Amino acid sequence: MSSGSRSSRVPRRGFLAVGAALTAVVTLSACGAKTDAAGSSSDKAAKIDVSGDTVKVGLLNSLSGTMAISEVTVRDSLKLAIDEINASGGVLGKKIKPISEDGASDWPTFAEKAQKLIKEDGVAATFGCWTSASRKAVKPVFEKNKSLLFYPVQYEGLEQSPYIFYTGATTNQQIVPALDYLKSKGLKKLYLVGSDYVFPRTANKEIKAYAKANGMTILGEDYAPLGSTEFSTIANKVKASKADAVFNTLNGDSNVAFFKEYKSAGLTAKSMPVVSVSIAEEEVKSIGTQYLAGQLTAWNYYQTTAGAANAKFVKAYKAKYGQDKPTSDPMEAAYTSVYLWKAMVEKAKSFDPEKVKAASDGITFDAPEGKVTVDGASQHVYKTARIGEIGTDGQIKEVWNSGKPVKPDPFLKGYSWASGLS
Amino acid sequence: MTVILGQTFTGISIGAVLLLIALGLSLTFGQMNVINMAHGEFIMAGAYTTYVLQKSISSAGISLLVALPVAFLVSGALGALLEWLLIRRLYLRPLDTLLVTWGVSLMLQQLARDIFGAPNVQTRAPDWLTGNITVIGGDDPLTFANSRLFILGLAVAAVVALSLTLRLTPLGRRIRAVVQNRDLAEVSGISTSTVDRTAFFIGSGLAGVAGVALTLVGPIGPTMGTNVIIDAFLVIVVGGIGQLKGTVIVAFVLGVLQSVLEYSTTVSVAKVLVLVAIVAFLQWRPQGLYTLRTRSLV
């Protein structure tokens, strides 16, 4: 081996050129995906494949990447509901056949996979998405193809799509009750920490408007890139602010790094409680109760929620996936969404999205969280708000609930402080 | 005052993480001009090694200490294997090593996904690493996190060990000889291919140690390597390729810069400002902080 050029320096210019080329390729392919998905000009409704004795539905979740920690369990829960429905005879005499796609925690991929499910597989409806960014990415795809998405996760509100059913909480069913709770406990100086994308930024805008109208102070606001694991500076800032409480809208496994750093900085649930809106039982299990015990969460459902429907759900889930697997709010909302779709289809006597939508108003289901009712006008669901405290056993104990299902108000029309938001 | 001290400590601890992830790369990049994109996946291998050991050893403290040498060996072996299988055929084409090792990095990510599943996993930190020590008490206490102190200690130990190896051992002398003038080293009877493989083993092994450290900070996942590899390259290019001293200084400077900017602005703005600073610096000193003086003819 001649070693003349072997020992020469790496030409920096060449290195940079290759880097630039790689970046360009990645950017172009991402753009390509976007146009493919959103820009295809077919305005005709998607064709639903009902040949044979099955009807296909799409399951669209991140099975890899930073969001997989949360979304895999939603997929599992959707499959449980489908299995149960198939075991009891299916929908309109047809068995449900799930087609599962991996959104890979990447928004253009979500749009691409949504397009594939609708166009190639001919699904009657799609269930899934978690982050608001993924939902915003697929929204035009479902609208263009006039196909239905059932979205099972709490979100920031201020949105309504004719082709999306929102079965998780909207703002007034989760964030506003959480703020009411903090206020009632005299915790009025807040620090906001969130992932840097749609949901936390919008949610924090709402929280700031609420705080202004309710005599609360926001001492600071910090965002970390989704998937970020470096939280030492944010923990220092939070600590130095001497806030009463932290409102946490971090998503995915950034929470692992954040709570590790929070504890390392010497902050505790006693000295400065954190109320989180995106940590449920599954995340508690993987983050570890030594970091989370005593911290607060706001949801509509906990594994410990009382009632026969929940006992049945928890038992069935554990029998299918393992005794050590917890159930959580988004899983429950996902499970419920399949039953709501079934009830709508049966009322409409058709899989046609337009007929299903028309039949949706007033559909109820005796869900694990209690009775839920679809509000046909907003395509959201009446849900009971619940504040919980994380225990050392990893379970979340309810410390407050709204008593009855709260009417969804995605645009916060019922709140004067929210008039400036859009 | 405590804010400034606390932030400086945070910056130094970020620098320690940067140093650990860049240290091994500085050896392979500097020694052999190999742009090893799979270095991040060797870090991942070290992190998963920690995870596997914790599954089999119940005590979190012991499993962490056992993981350090084991991760070094696992990642080192992976590195030596990569060198033997592919890289030694590509020494004449340094840019091709970028593409080849990038492909290898994608394959290793998929392999990790197949073995450990796509969702990220976590390890438990031992109790003695979850707390913090109070440096200044009072109303506005200054505390240092134990896990960060541990990582800092680990980085210092790794630098000292590497530096002593390069300075004092026969292997180190051979490595330095090869870096300075490969031809002359070869005719003096040094087997340069053995030196290359050993250096690659050590560099990749250090990536494994970095992986162990990263499990104390955040989650372990198939793509964790891609999240850190760019930072590692930045440290080395700014520090001067093949320069241990430059790598150490730049890692800490960038860590402190990042943490100070992050404190006064936001995470994203701080990242942008750091990159702007790096670009400006490289305009001024394209060869990095320190320049390698070689005795080679080209």
Coordinates of all heavy atoms in Angstrom, one line a residue, chain A residues 118-154:
Chain A
I118 N -54.5 5.5 2.9 CA -55.8 5.9 2.3 C -55.8 5.5 0.8 O -56.8 4.8 0.4 CB -56.0 7.5 2.3 CG1 -56.0 8.0 3.8 CG2 -57.2 7.9 1.6 CD1 -55.9 9.5 3.9
K119 N -54.8 5.7 0.1 CA -54.8 5.5 -1.4 C -54.5 4.0 -1.7 O -55.2 3.5 -2.6 CB -53.7 6.4 -2.0 CG -54.1 7.8 -2.1 CD -55.2 8.0 -3.1 CE -55.4 9.5 -3.4 NZ -56.6 9.7 -4.2
E120 N -53.5 3.4 -1.1 CA -53.2 2.1 -1.5 C -53.9 1.0 -0.8 O -54.3 0.0 -1.3 CB -51.7 1.8 -1.3 CG -50.8 2.5 -2.3 CD -49.3 2.3 -2.0 OE1 -48.9 1.3 -1.5 OE2 -48.6 3.3 -2.3
D121 N -54.1 1.2 0.5 CA -54.8 0.2 1.3 C -56.3 0.4 1.3 O -57.0 -0.5 1.7 CB -54.3 0.2 2.8 CG -52.8 -0.1 2.8 OD1 -52.4 -1.0 2.1 OD2 -52.1 0.5 3.6
G122 N -56.8 1.6 1.0 CA -58.2 1.8 1.0 C -58.9 1.6 2.4 O -59.9 1.0 2.6
V123 N -58.2 2.2 3.4 CA -58.8 2.1 4.8 C -60.0 2.9 5.0 O -60.2 3.9 4.3 CB -57.7 2.5 5.9 CG1 -56.5 1.6 5.8 CG2 -57.4 4.0 5.7
A124 N -60.9 2.4 5.8 CA -62.2 3.1 6.1 C -62.0 4.2 7.1 O -62.7 5.2 7.1 CB -63.2 2.1 6.7
A125 N -61.0 4.1 8.0 CA -60.6 5.2 8.9 C -59.2 4.9 9.4 O -58.7 3.8 9.3 CB -61.6 5.2 10.1
T126 N -58.6 6.0 9.9 CA -57.2 5.8 10.4 C -57.2 6.2 11.9 O -57.9 7.2 12.2 CB -56.2 6.6 9.6 OG1 -56.3 6.2 8.3 CG2 -54.8 6.4 10.1
F127 N -56.5 5.5 12.7 CA -56.4 5.8 14.1 C -55.0 6.1 14.5 O -54.1 5.3 14.1 CB -56.9 4.7 15.0 CG -58.3 4.3 14.7 CD1 -58.7 3.5 13.7 CD2 -59.4 4.9 15.5 CE1 -60.0 3.1 13.4 CE2 -60.7 4.5 15.2 CZ -61.0 3.7 14.2
G128 N -54.7 7.2 15.2 CA -53.3 7.4 15.6 C -52.8 8.9 15.5 O -53.7 9.8 15.6
C129 N -51.5 9.1 15.5 CA -50.8 10.3 15.6 C -50.7 10.7 17.1 O -51.6 10.3 17.9 CB -51.4 11.5 14.9 SG -51.3 11.3 13.1
W130 N -49.7 11.3 17.5 CA -49.5 11.7 18.9 C -49.2 13.2 19.0 O -50.0 14.0 19.5 CB -48.5 10.9 19.7 CG -48.3 11.3 21.1 CD1 -47.9 12.5 21.6 CD2 -48.6 10.5 22.3 NE1 -47.8 12.4 23.0 CE2 -48.2 11.2 23.4 CE3 -49.0 9.1 22.4 CZ2 -48.4 10.7 24.7 CZ3 -49.1 8.7 23.7 CH2 -48.8 9.4 24.9
T131 N -48.0 13.6 18.4 CA -47.6 15.0 18.5 C -48.5 15.8 17.6 O -49.0 15.4 16.6 CB -46.2 15.2 18.1 OG1 -46.1 14.9 16.7 CG2 -45.2 14.3 18.9
S132 N -48.7 17.1 18.1 CA -49.5 18.0 17.2 C -48.8 18.2 15.9 O -49.5 18.4 14.9 CB -49.6 19.3 17.9 OG -50.4 19.2 19.1
A133 N -47.5 18.1 15.9 CA -46.8 18.3 14.6 C -47.2 17.2 13.6 O -47.4 17.5 12.4 CB -45.3 18.3 14.8
S134 N -47.3 16.0 14.1 CA -47.7 14.9 13.2 C -49.1 15.1 12.8 O -49.4 14.8 11.6 CB -47.4 13.5 13.9 OG -48.3 13.3 15.0
R135 N -50.0 15.5 13.7 CA -51.4 15.7 13.3 C -51.5 16.8 12.2 O -52.2 16.7 11.3 CB -52.2 16.1 14.5 CG -53.7 16.1 14.3 CD -54.5 16.7 15.4 NE -54.2 18.1 15.6 CZ -53.5 18.6 16.6 NH1 -53.0 17.9 17.6 NH2 -53.3 19.9 16.7
K136 N -50.7 17.9 12.5 CA -50.8 19.0 11.5 C -50.2 18.6 10.1 O -50.6 19.0 9.1 CB -49.9 20.2 12.0 CG -50.4 20.9 13.3 CD -51.3 22.0 13.0 CE -51.7 22.7 14.3 NZ -53.0 23.4 14.3
A137 N -49.3 17.6 10.2 CA -48.7 17.1 8.9 C -49.7 16.3 8.1 O -49.7 16.3 6.9 CB -47.4 16.3 9.2
V138 N -50.5 15.5 8.8 CA -51.4 14.6 8.1 C -52.8 15.2 7.8 O -53.5 14.8 7.0 CB -51.7 13.3 8.9 CG1 -50.4 12.5 9.1 CG2 -52.4 13.5 10.2
K139 N -53.1 16.3 8.5 CA -54.4 17.0 8.4 C -54.8 17.2 6.9 O -55.9 16.8 6.5 CB -54.4 18.3 9.2 CG -55.7 19.0 9.3 CD -55.6 20.1 10.4 CE -56.7 21.1 10.3 NZ -56.3 22.3 9.6
P140 N -53.9 17.9 6.1 CA -54.3 18.2 4.7 C -54.5 16.9 3.9 O -55.3 16.8 3.0 CB -53.1 19.0 4.2 CG -52.0 18.8 5.2 CD -52.6 18.5 6.5
V141 N -53.8 15.8 4.3 CA -53.9 14.5 3.6 C -55.3 14.0 3.8 O -56.0 13.5 2.8 CB -52.8 13.5 4.0 CG1 -53.0 12.2 3.3 CG2 -51.4 14.1 3.9
F142 N -55.8 14.0 5.0 CA -57.1 13.4 5.3 C -58.2 14.3 4.7 O -59.2 13.8 4.2 CB -57.3 13.3 6.8 CG -56.6 12.1 7.4 CD1 -55.3 12.2 7.9 CD2 -57.1 10.8 7.2 CE1 -54.6 11.1 8.4 CE2 -56.5 9.7 7.7 CZ -55.2 9.8 8.3
E143 N -57.9 15.6 4.7 CA -59.0 16.6 4.2 C -59.1 16.4 2.7 O -60.2 16.4 2.1 CB -58.6 18.0 4.6 CG -58.9 18.2 6.1 CD -58.4 19.6 6.6 OE1 -57.8 20.3 5.9 OE2 -58.7 19.8 7.8
K144 N -57.9 16.4 2.0 CA -57.9 16.2 0.6 C -58.6 14.9 0.1 O -59.3 14.9 -0.8 CB -56.4 16.2 0.1 CG -56.3 16.5 -1.4 CD -55.3 17.6 -1.6 CE -56.0 18.8 -2.3 NZ -55.3 20.0 -2.3
N145 N -58.3 13.9 0.8 CA -58.9 12.6 0.4 C -60.2 12.3 1.1 O -60.7 11.2 0.9 CB -57.9 11.5 0.8 CG -56.6 11.6 0.0 OD1 -56.6 11.5 -1.2 ND2 -55.5 11.8 0.6
K146 N -60.7 13.2 1.9 CA -62.0 13.0 2.5 C -62.0 11.7 3.3 O -63.0 10.9 3.1 CB -63.2 13.1 1.6 CG -63.2 14.5 0.8 CD -64.5 14.6 0.1 CE -64.5 15.8 -0.9 NZ -64.1 17.1 -0.4
S147 N -61.0 11.5 4.1 CA -60.9 10.2 4.8 C -60.8 10.6 6.3 O -60.4 11.7 6.6 CB -59.7 9.5 4.4 OG -59.6 8.2 5.1
L148 N -61.2 9.7 7.2 CA -61.3 10.0 8.6 C -60.1 9.7 9.4 O -59.5 8.6 9.3 CB -62.5 9.3 9.2 CG -63.9 9.8 8.8 CD1 -65.0 8.9 9.4 CD2 -64.1 11.2 9.0
L149 N -59.7 10.6 10.3 CA -58.6 10.3 11.3 C -59.2 10.4 12.7 O -59.9 11.4 13.0 CB -57.5 11.3 11.2 CG -56.4 11.2 12.3 CD1 -55.6 10.0 12.2 CD2 -55.5 12.4 12.3
F150 N -59.0 9.4 13.5 CA -59.3 9.5 14.9 C -58.1 9.7 15.7 O -57.1 8.9 15.7 CB -60.0 8.2 15.4 CG -61.4 8.1 14.9 CD1 -61.7 7.7 13.6 CD2 -62.5 8.4 15.8 CE1 -63.0 7.7 13.2 CE2 -63.8 8.3 15.4 CZ -64.1 7.9 14.0
Y151 N -58.0 10.9 16.4 CA -56.8 11.3 17.1 C -57.0 11.2 18.6 O -57.8 11.8 19.2 CB -56.5 12.8 16.7 CG -55.4 13.5 17.3 CD1 -54.1 13.1 17.1 CD2 -55.6 14.5 18.2 CE1 -53.0 13.7 17.7 CE2 -54.5 15.1 18.9 CZ -53.2 14.7 18.6 OH -52.2 15.3 19.2
P152 N -56.1 10.4 19.2 CA -56.4 10.0 20.6 C -55.7 10.7 21.7 O -55.7 10.2 22.8 CB -56.0 8.5 20.6 CG -54.8 8.5 19.7 CD -55.0 9.5 18.7
V153 N -55.0 11.8 21.4 CA -54.2 12.4 22.4 C -54.7 13.8 22.8 O -55.1 14.5 21.9 CB -52.7 12.5 21.9 CG1 -51.8 12.9 23.0 CG2 -52.3 11.1 21.5
Q154 N -54.5 14.2 24.0 CA -54.8 15.5 24.5 C -53.9 16.5 23.6 O -52.8 16.1 23.2 CB -54.4 15.7 25.9 CG -53.0 15.3 26.3 CD -51.9 16.3 26.0 OE1 -52.2 17.5 25.7 NE2 -50.6 15.9 26.0

